[in-house]
Amino acid sequence: MIMSDILNCFPAIKPYEHQTKVLRQVVSAFASGKKTIVLQAPVGSGKSAINFTIAKYYGSGYLSTPQKMLVDQMQYDKFFGRQIVALKGRSNYSCLLRYQEDNRRPPVGGSSFEEPFHNMSCAGARCQREKNFNCQFRVIERQSIKHDSLLEDPVVYDSQCYYFDALRNAITKRLVTTTLAMLLAARRLPTKEVVCVDEGHNVESWLQKFVSVVVKDLTGEPPKTIEVALKILDNAYTTAMEQKEILEEESGYRALTSEEIQQLEYTQRIVTYGRKVLQDMEHGIRWITYVRMTGNKYSLEFKPVKVDKYGGLIWSRGKKVIISTATILDWKLYANDVGLTIADIEFIDVPSVFPPENTQIVNACVGRMSKEYLEINIPHALQRLRDILDRESNVRGLIHAHSYALAKSIKEEIGEPWRSRFIFHDNSDRNNMLKS
């Protein structure tokens, strides 16, 4: 190991001392035969720069994160943004054909924040609704072109389409930032040398979400036993198989409507993962069932108790794995939960690099702020925020909202005199607002 070669891959001018130490530990662990690094380090300690350096040092890699916002941050990072390409879901890219048919100019770069953007995106575009449709902007597949990936014979794309252009880059370029959802769902993505999973403590919940099944729009009395719930799922599976076959056949003759596309995606999920539920339960592998009421209808959600056997959907993306997080309570328990082999893991724990007196934490929680709880808890959060602003009347501060919906609620409902102390931003003016 030549340390200068590793440091030459570091995106900034010079790493901090603790980053240099971690980089040395990671490379030494991989050299000793370890396949996975679990890196626990404080927020703000530079884990993303470490992940980038390791991926670049070994030649190629995925830098994944749970949120699209963090993908954007990495893509436009002043230190390593120009050295990586980004891949997100279809709904994040403008459909050139839709804009052409609407006699409108598509946004530069393929992204748009106009409303309703989803009606102009690649999600549900005609190429997704009509099986044999050949879009003038769509993909041309070709084999074995020269590129800087390590693949021997990939399927590569030539395309003006913003989404397929991004997909082509993700396949052929060495360093890719993407969401954990895309890493799970994009089947064409090849194995690279390293897969780096930031916010790794979220992996178990993402795997559970990815394989969960929801049977919706059910009527009558909700099931009281798992046996009855499985019978409902079995019936839904049979119906989904029939609907899927009909819709796929129809798409060969005409473009499906947006509603039909949603129905096709729903049936495909029931067919794929509903079958797994039925097979697992038959072999004694437990799934949990939730009943969710909506008016006089209800839905049944099936979630696996354990997701370890699905972990390979992520770990197989890289020959080596780095999982970085600030919050793993027991790394051995975590490894078992997400399908990793303990003997293959090197655990690196970085102590806080900040003086304790500068990082005091006050627990002022009022409740969960996820989508289903936002309406209930936002009034309590706003009042707590007003109390903090009153107490800290002469200082400046930073409020992190985990979604634009939450930030919008604060903006619209905080009221005066507190509102006048705020500067808000969205995706289009974030940098300008932060500078102000």
Side-chain angles (χ1 to χ4, degrees):
M1 175 180 63
I2 301 176
M3 199 61 199
S4 60
D5 291 342
I6 302 172
L7 297 181
N8 284 339
C9 297
F10 193 76
I13 297 173
K14 183 180 179 181
Y16 291 107
E17 183 178 345
H18 70 274
Q19 290 175 311
T20 301
K21 182 180 178 180
V22 169
L23 289 169
R24 185 181 291 111
Q25 289 176 290
V26 170
V27 175
S28 296
F30 282 146
S32 71
K34 298 293 185 181
K35 297 179 180 179
T36 303
I37 305 296
V38 176
L39 172 61
Q40 180 171 262
V43 174
S45 58
K47 295 187 290 295
S48 295
I50 291 171
N51 290 343
F52 172 88
T53 302
I54 294 299
K56 185 176 180 180
Y57 175 72
Y58 283 102
S60 65
Y62 295 107
L63 306 172
S64 76
T65 177
Q67 300 180 46
K68 290 185 291 185
M69 176 184 68
L70 299 178
V71 170
D72 290 336
Q73 289 181 5
M74 295 190 70
Q75 183 182 11
Y76 299 111
D77 184 271
K78 66 178 180 180
F79 291 115
F80 51 78
R82 293 184 179 181
Q83 302 180 60
I84 61 177
V85 296
L87 176 65
K88 293 176 283 189
R90 294 175 185 272
S91 62
N92 297 278
Y93 301 94
S94 301
C95 174
L96 291 170
L97 182 64
R98 285 180 164 184
Y99 275 89
Q100 183 185 74
E101 292 174 343
D102 206 33
N103 293 318
R104 298 167 64 186
R105 183 185 298 275
V108 176
S111 296
S112 173
F113 304 102
E114 63 184 61
E115 294 292 341
F117 173 51
H118 64 275
N119 289 331
M120 304 298 288
S121 77
C122 292
R126 189 174 173 184
C127 63
Q128 300 300 298
R129 296 182 286 114
E130 187 175 342
K131 184 184 297 185
N132 298 318
F133 176 67
N134 293 314
C135 178
Q136 65 190 76
F137 302 107
R138 179 77 191 272
V139 37
I140 304 170
E141 296 187 0
R142 56 195 176 100
Q143 299 282 339
S144 301
I145 69 165
K146 293 181 179 181
H147 54 85
D148 64 355
S149 176
L150 304 180
L151 301 174
E152 294 180 358
D153 211 21
V155 175
V156 185
Y157 306 99
D158 278 338
S159 177
Q160 291 178 283
C161 171
Y162 288 129
Y163 171 72
F164 278 99
D165 187 56
L167 182 59
R168 177 200 62 196
N169 286 336
I171 291 173
T172 61
K173 301 299 182 182
R174 291 182 178 273
L175 300 175
V176 182
T177 179
T178 188
T179 61
L180 208 54
M182 285 298 294
L183 208 58
L184 283 164
R187 291 173 296 175
R188 287 188 182 271
L189 291 181
T191 297
K192 295 188 185 289
E193 286 298 314
V194 184
V195 57
C196 304
V197 178
D198 197 16
E199 304 288 338
H201 55 276
N202 290 310
V203 167
E204 186 177 8
S205 61
W206 271 99
L207 286 172
Q208 189 178 67
K209 180 180 179 181
F210 185 71
V211 300
S212 293
V213 180
V214 178
V215 183
K216 58 186 182 180
D217 295 332
L218 298 169
T219 57
E221 184 179 1
K224 291 183 170 58
T225 66
I226 187 64
E227 290 77 16
V228 176
L230 288 174
K231 181 65 176 177
I232 293 172
L233 177 60
D234 192 24
N235 292 336
Y237 173 80
T238 302
T239 302
M241 286 284 289
E242 297 171 353
Q243 292 178 337
K244 176 175 176 289
E245 184 177 343
I246 292 171
L247 289 169
E248 287 179 342
E249 184 177 352
E250 282 290 310
S251 70
Y253 300 104
R254 62 175 178 84
L256 300 180
T257 66
S258 297
E259 292 74 18
E260 287 173 325
I261 281 290
Q262 292 177 5
Q263 184 64 21
L264 179 58
E265 291 172 348
Y266 171 70
T267 58
Q268 288 171 335
R269 187 164 191 84
I270 294 289
V271 168
T272 302
Y273 294 105
R275 181 172 53 204
K276 292 183 184 294
V277 178
L278 296 169
Q279 291 174 342
D280 279 359
M281 293 295 286
E282 185 177 342
H283 292 89
I285 301 174
R286 291 181 59 206
W287 287 61
I288 300 173
T289 305
Y290 297 88
V291 176
R292 306 192 188 281
M293 300 299 302
T294 306
N296 60 352
K297 294 184 178 182
Y298 70 94
S299 61
L300 274 180
E301 183 175 13
F302 296 84
K303 291 185 176 183
V305 174
K306 297 190 65 177
V307 295
D308 53 312
K309 70 176 182 178
Y310 302 108
L313 295 170
I314 299 175
W315 316 133
S316 62
R317 298 295 193 182
K319 299 176 183 178
K320 302 175 181 66
V321 176
I322 297 181
I323 303 163
S324 57
T325 178
T327 52
I328 283 185
L329 299 177
D330 185 326
W331 71 269
K332 292 182 179 180
L333 182 62
Y334 170 84
N336 286 326
D337 289 342
V338 297
L340 293 168
T341 303
I342 291 177
D344 292 337
I345 298 176
E346 181 78 11
F347 178 64
I348 300 174
D349 190 10
V350 180
S352 177
V353 296
F354 306 106
E357 62 272 15
N358 293 348
T359 57
Q360 297 181 47
I361 298 174
V362 178
N363 187 343
C365 295
V366 298
R368 299 173 66 179
M369 290 291 119
S370 53
K371 184 178 180 180
E372 60 267 36
Y373 294 97
L374 183 60
E375 185 176 349
I376 299 171
N377 289 327
I378 189 64
H380 306 295
L382 289 169
Q383 187 54 52
R384 184 61 55 85
L385 186 53
R386 295 183 190 107
D387 294 340
I388 294 172
L389 291 169
D390 289 340
R391 188 175 67 243
E392 306 291 345
S393 59
N394 296 318
V395 299
R396 300 179 67 185
L398 188 67
I399 297 174
H400 170 69
H402 71 268
S403 69
Y404 285 112
L406 179 55
K408 182 179 179 182
S409 296
I410 295 173
K411 181 178 181 180
E412 294 178 349
E413 300 177 35
I414 188 66
E416 294 293 353
W418 307 278
R419 171 67 177 79
S420 58
R421 293 179 62 183
F422 282 79
I423 296 175
F424 293 92
H425 73 81
D426 57 28
N427 273 343
S428 63
D429 63 358
R430 178 173 55 205
N431 291 335
N432 291 335
M433 290 297 101
L434 290 176
K435 288 177 181 179
S436 65

